[in-house]
């Protein structure tokens, strides 16, 4: 929930508490006045009568007992019921006690639930009718006694209905709070996922192109003075590679820009159709790449096409940077419902290369890309030496993403 929403709710509850403190004395005073006025009615004689000092005293006592209705609702009802019994034993009627009994039973039903409220209401009604039968003239089911039972039942029913209504509103508020928290968490999760995706794309582009540029520049340092023609070819390759990297970076940044700031990139994302250009760029950097293809002509979903290209790009970049060899092999095997990509080399067999072992972020990116399209990645040291990256990608559009198998571990 937002800060403004919490502050608004705190303010609402503070105002509500202030209204309750002001309303309680008014309610008690109103009950006393109504009790005194009802004592003037004489249902037996069918007219009016003076309540006398005793009737007024009991009316004030009813209101006074109500002061404890919030702290001890059950004791309040019991006290009022006992006062009603004593009042009738002293010659009074149950009518002056009804306002206080109704308020107390309403509060009891509001706080304690339906079953205890109904039990208490039945006991209070029984006590009132028994007292009226013992101490008042008239039939057992006379209008005065039936009316008292009806008012007691009505107050209990209203209290229970209000309790249910408040519980329903409270549930709606909690559901709205949960929904708001869920939306905030989902938004944060999406932002984090998008940051990871952008970081992965930038890593693939920058690491690949800068690795090639670094390798080509290193070759140029050795041969530049003796072979100007080959030096020109290397500079051309560096220029073309940096231009391609800038283009991909511009496309990624364009996706992050606002619609009014930049248009969406027109160039499609790289796929396996550009594999020859990728291999050529590495060969210019001094890495000989052998490509073996099997089962051409299958349909490749766009996501799988991009994923396959990025896996090969990252694997070859790792070979060039860390393996300490100048040859690598790519195997592409199209099957009925899957595409298998293998990139391996006969490197140092698990020994740390002279130029450092890297951070491992590229391997994590490969696993994430493979898992995103529902595939399985196997990355590790080959038994015969060297390093191998194997990715099996589904070609069916209906295959859902599955996590990478736990049995496939990263390099130490």
């Amino acid at each position: 929930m937002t800060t403004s929403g919490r502050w608004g709710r705190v303010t609402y509850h503070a105002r509500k508490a202030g209204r309750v403190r002001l309303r309680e004395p008014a309610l008690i005073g109103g009950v006393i006045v109504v009790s005194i006025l009802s004592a003037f009615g004489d249902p037996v004689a069918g007219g009016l009568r003076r309540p006398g000092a005793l009737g007024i005293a009991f009316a004030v006592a009813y209101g006074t007992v109500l002061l404890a209705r919030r702290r001890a609702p059950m004791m309040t009802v019991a006290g009022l019921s006992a006062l009603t019994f004593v009042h009738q034993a002293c010659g009074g009627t149950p009518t002056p006690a009804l306002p206080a009994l109704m308020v107390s039973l309403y509060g009891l039903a509001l706080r304690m639930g339906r079953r205890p409220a109904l039990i208490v209401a039945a006991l209070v009604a029984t006590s009132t009718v028994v007292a009226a039968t013992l101490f008042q003239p008239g039939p057992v089911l006379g209008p005065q006694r039936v009316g008292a039972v009806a008012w007691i039942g009505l107050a209990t029913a209203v209290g229970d209905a209000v309790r249910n209504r408040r519980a329903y509103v409270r549930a709606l508020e909690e559901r709205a709070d949960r929904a708001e928290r869920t939306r905030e968490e989902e938004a944060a999760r999406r932002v984090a996922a998008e940051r990871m995706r952008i970081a992965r794309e930038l890593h693939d582009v920058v690491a690949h192109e800068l690795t090639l540029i670094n390798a080509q520049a290193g070759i140029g340092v050795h041969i530049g003075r003796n072979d100007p023609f080959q030096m020109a070819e290397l500079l051309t390759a560096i220029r073309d590679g940096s231009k391609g990297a800038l283009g991909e970076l511009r496309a990624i940044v364009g996706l992050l820009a606002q619609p009014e700031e930049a248009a969406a990139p027109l160039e499609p994302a790289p796929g396996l159709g550009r594999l020859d250009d990728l291999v050529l760029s590495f060969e210019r950097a001094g890495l000989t790449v052998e490509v073996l293809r099997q089962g051409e002509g299958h349909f490749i979903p766009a996501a799988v096409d991009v994923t396959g290209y990025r896996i090969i790009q990252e694997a070859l970049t790792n070979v060039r940077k860390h393996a300490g060899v100048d040859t690598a092999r790519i195997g592409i095997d199209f099957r009925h419902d899957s595409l298998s990509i293998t990139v391996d080399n006969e490197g140092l067999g698990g020994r740390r290369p002279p130029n450092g072992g890297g951070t491992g972020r590229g391997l994590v990116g490969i696993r994430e890309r493979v898992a995103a399209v529902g595939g399985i990645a196997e990355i590790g040291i080959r038994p015969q030496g060297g390093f191998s990256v194997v990715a099996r990608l589904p070609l069916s559009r209906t295959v859902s993403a599955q996590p990478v198998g736990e049995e496939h571990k990263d390099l130490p």
Side-chain angles (χ1 to χ4, degrees):
M1 184 186 296
T2 60
T3 304
S4 60
R6 293 191 185 98
W7 177 251
R9 185 155 298 180
V10 169
T11 304
Y12 166 76
H13 286 299
R15 292 177 179 175
K16 182 178 179 182
R19 289 196 299 267
V20 169
R21 286 194 297 269
L22 295 175
R23 189 174 54 194
E24 194 69 14
L27 176 64
I28 300 301
V31 168
I32 294 174
V33 171
V34 173
S35 297
I36 293 174
L37 293 177
S38 62
F40 280 90
D42 187 355
V44 178
L48 296 177
R49 68 171 184 178
R50 290 182 179 275
L54 185 63
I56 296 175
F58 271 103
V60 174
Y62 294 144
T64 304
V65 173
L66 275 181
L67 292 173
R69 70 186 186 94
R70 294 187 179 276
R71 296 188 301 273
M74 188 72 73
M75 295 301 296
T76 301
V77 174
L80 289 173
S81 181
L83 278 176
T84 304
F85 192 92
V86 173
H87 189 191
Q88 294 185 83
C90 295
T93 65
T95 306
L98 286 179
L101 284 173
M102 292 175 63
V103 172
S104 61
L105 288 172
Y106 168 86
L108 184 69
L110 200 62
R111 289 168 176 77
M112 301 192 64
R114 176 177 301 172
R115 185 172 181 179
L118 290 177
I119 293 175
V120 172
L123 293 176
V124 171
T126 302
S127 172
T128 303
V129 171
V130 168
T133 303
L134 293 176
F135 305 116
Q136 299 293 331
V140 176
L141 297 179
Q144 182 186 20
R145 298 158 190 176
V146 173
V149 173
W151 284 113
I152 291 173
L154 177 63
T156 306
V158 171
D160 183 67
V162 173
R163 182 186 59 83
N164 290 335
R165 174 65 180 175
R166 291 182 180 178
Y168 175 73
V169 172
R170 213 164 31 244
L172 290 181
E173 291 177 351
E174 292 176 356
R175 187 180 304 173
D177 291 343
R178 278 197 308 271
E180 186 173 355
R181 287 195 301 270
T182 302
R183 283 195 298 269
E184 293 176 354
E185 293 170 358
E186 178 67 14
R189 188 191 65 80
R190 289 180 180 272
V191 169
E194 186 64 14
R195 287 176 177 172
M196 290 297 299
R197 186 189 69 80
I198 294 169
R200 188 167 57 238
E201 292 290 340
L202 290 175
H203 174 271
D204 291 344
V205 173
V206 174
H208 163 64
E209 295 298 344
L210 290 183
T211 297
L212 297 185
I213 291 173
N214 179 69
Q216 291 164 350
I219 296 174
V221 170
H222 295 288
I223 68 172
R225 297 177 181 176
N226 301 325
D227 193 345
F229 180 76
Q230 190 172 359
M231 181 63 179
E233 289 185 348
L234 287 173
L235 291 176
T236 302
I238 291 175
R239 181 197 64 189
D240 295 341
S242 60
K243 182 179 179 181
L246 289 174
E248 292 199 42
L249 287 175
R250 190 178 298 112
I252 295 173
V253 174
L255 292 176
L256 301 178
Q258 297 296 330
E260 63 272 9
E261 295 178 2
L266 301 178
E267 183 179 358
L272 293 177
R274 294 173 54 183
L275 180 60
D276 293 339
D277 296 335
L278 180 65
V279 171
L280 180 60
S281 67
F282 277 99
E283 289 180 345
R284 288 174 178 172
L287 180 65
T288 302
V289 182
E290 179 184 1
V291 181
L292 300 176
R293 293 183 174 90
Q294 295 181 0
E296 294 283 356
H298 287 70
F299 165 79
I300 306 179
V304 174
D305 195 21
V306 175
T307 299
Y309 179 89
R310 292 301 190 193
I311 290 172
I312 296 174
Q313 182 186 55
E314 178 60 32
L316 291 179
T317 300
N318 288 339
V319 172
R320 185 66 185 82
K321 291 173 61 178
H322 307 304
V325 297
D326 55 7
T327 59
R329 287 180 299 275
I330 300 175
I332 301 177
D333 185 7
F334 287 92
R335 300 179 183 178
H336 175 67
D337 57 354
S338 65
L339 169 64
S340 179
I341 296 176
T342 303
V343 181
D344 56 21
N345 66 89
E346 298 177 355
L348 300 177
R351 291 182 285 111
R352 185 173 295 278
N355 59 342
T359 62
R361 184 173 298 171
L363 299 182
V364 174
I366 290 176
R367 291 187 182 278
E368 291 177 349
R369 287 185 180 277
V370 172
V373 296
I376 297 176
E378 299 178 3
I379 303 174
I381 301 172
R382 302 169 62 205
Q384 62 272 35
F387 198 82
S388 176
V389 175
V390 179
R392 296 183 179 87
L393 311 177
L395 295 179
S396 172
R397 291 190 180 95
T398 60
V399 175
S400 59
Q402 301 172 355
V404 178
E406 289 297 330
E407 68 278 10
H408 309 310
K409 304 296 183 181
D410 284 331
L411 281 178

